[in-house]
Amino acid sequence: MQLVVYSKLNKDMKINIKKRILNKSRISELKTYIRKFLNSLLNKNYENSLLSYRIVVSKSDKMVSKGIIHKNKSSRLKKRLNIKLSSIKQN
């Protein structure tokens, strides 16, 4: 990180770095919950899959409200996971 002359810009750069690290960890957390959901689908366990799906939807909505991911990405993710969940329910 290269510091600039103005102290306000230095402070902004430091804040942006901290926010970027937090956002990366939150996105990683969401991906972890998605993996857990997909693993429960592979095990053909509908109850665990439904619980995992609800967690993913909740986390995704929270990330949209905080501006970490776009609302269209969240909607697309929920739609795709819901299709997979409904396919296991039919079986």
Side-chain angles (χ1 to χ4, degrees), residues 2 9 13 17 22 25 32 36 38 53 63 67 72-73 78-79 88:
Q2 183 179 359
L9 294 178
M13 286 172 49
I17 290 171
L22 276 175
S25 69
T32 302
K36 288 180 181 180
L38 294 176
Y53 175 75
M63 292 176 76
N72 291 351
K73 180 176 180 174
K78 290 187 282 189
K79 179 183 175 185
I88 196 175

Side-chain angles (χ1 to χ4, degrees), residues 40-73:
S40 64
L41 281 180
L42 289 176
N43 294 334
K44 306 282 187 186
N45 192 342
Y46 180 72
E47 291 78 21
N48 286 344
S49 299
L50 185 61
L51 290 174
S52 298
Y53 175 75
R54 288 179 181 163
I55 292 172
V56 169
V57 168
S58 173
K59 294 285 183 185
S60 176
D61 289 340
K62 284 180 186 175
M63 292 176 76
V64 167
S65 67
K66 293 181 181 186
I68 298 173
I69 60 174
H70 197 272
K71 64 179 181 178
N72 291 351
K73 180 176 180 174

Side-chain angles (χ1 to χ4, degrees), residues 1-15:
M1 178 176 91
Q2 183 179 359
L3 298 178
V4 291
V5 177
Y6 304 105
S7 62
K8 175 67 175 150
L9 294 178
N10 286 335
K11 184 178 179 183
D12 288 345
M13 286 172 49
K14 290 177 184 177
I15 290 171

Side-chain angles (χ1 to χ4, degrees), residues 22-35 63:
L22 276 175
N23 290 345
K24 277 191 170 188
S25 69
R26 289 180 179 142
I27 290 173
S28 175
E29 181 183 6
L30 179 67
K31 289 180 181 179
T32 302
Y33 283 114
I34 292 171
R35 268 187 245 112
M63 292 176 76

